[in-house]
Amino acid sequence: MNTKNPAVQMMLDVLHNKGDRTLSVQIAPAVRVSIGEYLGFETGTNLVQEMIGALKQMGFDYVFDTNFGADLTVIEEAFELVERLKKHKLLPMFTTCCPSWYMFVERLYPDLIPYLSTVKSPQAILASLVKTFFSQSINVGKGKMFHAVVAPCAMKKEEAKRQELWVLGDEPNIDLVLTTKEFVELLNELSIDLHNVAKADFDNPLGLSSGAGAIFGTTGGVMEATLRTAYYYYTGKDLEDFELLEVRNSGLKKEGKIDFAGIELNVCTVNSLEEAKPILEEIRATGTCKYQFIEVMNCPLGCIGGVGQWTTDREVLLKRREAIFKYDKEHKYQAAHQNQYIRDLYDKYIGVVGSAKAHELMHTHYTDKSSDKAEEFSCKFPKQE
Ligand code: SF4
């Protein structure tokens, strides 16, 4: 069986020559609401159970939800935000789950690295837990767990290469990233039709996530999910309404104000690296700006507009976005701190939020990469349409 795409070919080779390896995979939130368009389903159809069923049919032993990693990102990042707010330190705090953004800062604004949250992306956190906690729990040793990701974006391949994110020394947390397009190619190579596949559910304990994890797939989602839990940390109470429309951004930039138990939090979500530049320049010049919390993503409407998919047509993106918010609204839990599997994981393995163990597994660092050649730098970034 031959194919021109190297990632698809590698995946086929692994599936056909599994040996004594255990195969696991995680699915990003944006992919499940975009893949159907290319397979004859109505735009925005959530096909996560079909995707899990297909991956099981291919031979994967475990299928996990990147949204579970998103819940972990929220738990740590909300704590980090509240700490910074209480200490009036390193504000604004920048959040993201977009490697294009932090690679941009490392190269063009390295002096502003301290303003970035240190918490890993959902993809990176979940992979860290798969290669440590989960592998240990099923007695799979180093080098014997092959972990793949299905993601909306080729930049997630760049993220997977970052040694700053690895937790097993010289072994990557993620062995292969397939974009949505590549996953469809894999389905075609294996003649698997999502219309006819047996549906399945994620494997636990890294499979049950909240609605907050799902909204990472679109702009403002990382911030909204984090604020739901940060409010709980700050006040000891849940928000009356988890849906924070002030941060839902369908344009390039949106400002909002959140009532944080008497304190007015100024927030901003940005959907373009260019659009973030004036804010960065202001912080560089003055050491601060009018916002306390800022989310930056590279693509239109966030990862649902990622270039690992076929289209960035706005009407299509809005339908994908609607599907994500519908899933969140109908979810039993809309905040990461309500997720019992997350609580159990902290009790049994991680310990306390923000602890040394939490940092070892779920935080990262950024470095000054301003000496990277400009041409190498620019070709890494997907273009906005
Ligand atoms: Fe960033 Fe776009 Fe990739 Fe999402 S899809 S990680 S916004 S470059």
Side-chain angles (χ1 to χ4, degrees):
M1 195 175 287
N2 285 315
T3 175
K4 289 199 169 98
N5 184 295
V8 176
Q9 186 61 60
M10 181 179 172
M11 194 68 254
L12 289 168
D13 291 344
V14 171
L15 290 168
H16 291 140
N17 300 293
K18 183 179 171 188
D20 60 353
R21 286 177 292 186
T22 300
L23 306 187
S24 62
V25 60
Q26 64 185 77
I27 304 173
V31 179
R32 61 200 73 179
V33 295
S34 60
I35 190 169
E37 296 150 25
Y38 319 113
L39 299 168
F41 293 85
E42 193 178 329
T43 301
T45 307
N46 189 335
L47 291 170
V48 71
Q49 288 185 304
E50 287 83 351
M51 287 185 71
I52 301 167
L55 288 159
K56 292 277 180 170
Q57 190 177 321
M58 287 176 195
F60 280 93
D61 300 295
Y62 299 98
V63 185
F64 298 123
D65 194 351
T66 303
N67 294 3
F68 187 88
D71 276 351
L72 288 167
T73 298
V74 166
I75 294 291
E76 289 294 317
E77 193 163 302
F79 182 78
E80 187 181 20
L81 176 66
V82 169
E83 287 292 294
R84 292 195 193 191
L85 287 170
K86 282 183 179 165
K87 292 175 184 163
H88 301 286
K89 191 178 143 197
L90 293 175
L91 296 171
M93 185 172 98
F94 283 96
T95 186
T96 192
C97 59
C98 177
S100 299
W101 159 245
Y102 59 69
M103 289 171 69
F104 173 81
V105 174
E106 282 180 319
R107 285 156 181 80
L108 293 184
Y109 294 90
D111 48 315
L112 303 187
I113 283 173
Y115 293 92
L116 303 182
S117 164
T118 61
V119 182
K120 289 179 185 175
S121 73
Q123 168 178 301
I125 283 194
L126 190 72
S128 299
L129 268 297
V130 168
K131 288 281 176 111
T132 54
F133 161 75
F134 186 71
S135 296
Q136 289 157 20
S137 74
I138 57 168
N139 292 318
V140 171
K142 196 174 170 206
K144 296 295 179 193
M145 174 71 87
F146 181 94
H147 186 60
V149 176
V150 187
C153 164
M155 285 306 292
K156 290 293 186 182
K157 294 177 192 264
E158 296 299 319
E159 176 175 301
K161 291 180 200 159
R162 282 176 74 90
Q163 295 192 15
E164 296 95 322
L165 296 167
W166 300 0
V167 284
L168 293 178
D170 57 352
E171 180 178 328
N173 290 357
I174 295 166
D175 299 289
L176 181 66
V177 177
L178 294 167
T179 63
T180 314
K181 282 179 184 171
E182 289 165 344
F183 182 68
V184 169
E185 194 176 327
L186 184 66
L187 289 172
N188 292 336
E189 287 287 335
L190 296 169
S191 304
I192 296 175
D193 181 354
L194 287 196
H195 291 89
N196 302 317
V197 83
K199 293 182 187 178
D201 291 318
F202 284 115
D203 289 294
N204 283 321
L206 305 180
L208 189 108
S209 57
S210 72
I215 62 175
F216 270 58
T218 190
T219 316
V222 186
M223 173 176 282
E224 182 171 345
T226 302
L227 287 171
R228 290 176 188 179
T229 292
Y231 186 91
Y232 174 76
Y233 286 164
Y234 200 76
T235 65
K237 291 184 290 193
D238 277 331
L239 283 160
E240 277 179 28
D241 186 354
F242 280 125
E243 290 177 36
L244 300 171
L245 304 183
E246 300 89 331
V247 306
R248 293 190 181 178
N249 178 4
S250 57
L252 286 179
K253 180 180 166 198
K254 183 172 176 179
E255 299 180 345
K257 291 185 191 299
I258 307 290
D259 178 3
F260 229 60
I263 296 174
E264 193 172 70
L265 206 61
N266 289 305
V267 300
C268 182
T269 53
V270 184
N271 258 329
S272 142
L273 303 184
E274 268 313 300
E275 204 67 33
K277 277 186 180 172
I279 302 173
L280 292 164
E281 292 295 341
E282 185 183 351
I283 300 168
R284 179 173 267 173
T286 67
T288 189
C289 71
K290 63 179 170 176
Y291 314 115
Q292 285 92 39
F293 195 26
I294 303 171
E295 179 198 292
V296 185
M297 303 290 281
N298 181 50
C299 295
L301 289 167
C303 292
I304 52 169
V307 290
Q309 306 176 123
W310 277 260
T311 180
T312 49
D313 177 82
R314 186 171 167 79
E315 290 310 307
V316 172
L317 299 197
L318 288 171
K319 283 196 177 152
R320 292 178 186 165
R321 186 169 188 257
E322 200 180 303
I324 281 184
F325 284 128
K326 180 171 181 287
Y327 176 84
D328 168 52
K329 198 176 181 67
E330 293 171 353
H331 204 289
K332 186 175 170 193
Y333 303 119
Q334 281 190 283
H337 60 271
Q338 297 173 325
N339 185 343
Q340 192 56 46
Y341 281 84
I342 295 282
R343 289 169 177 259
D344 289 347
L345 186 62
Y346 272 90
D347 286 347
K348 288 181 190 150
Y349 190 71
I350 300 169
V352 180
V353 177
S355 63
K357 179 88 172 169
H359 273 260
E360 181 191 320
L361 290 167
M362 299 189 286
H363 288 248
T364 188
H365 62 276
Y366 301 98
T367 45
D368 182 339
K369 294 186 178 153
S370 53
S371 59
D372 274 16
K373 289 191 184 117
E375 59 272 22
E376 282 176 13
F377 161 73
S378 60
C379 74
K380 286 186 191 295
F381 293 90
K383 289 203 168 42
Q384 292 255 17
E385 302 226 326

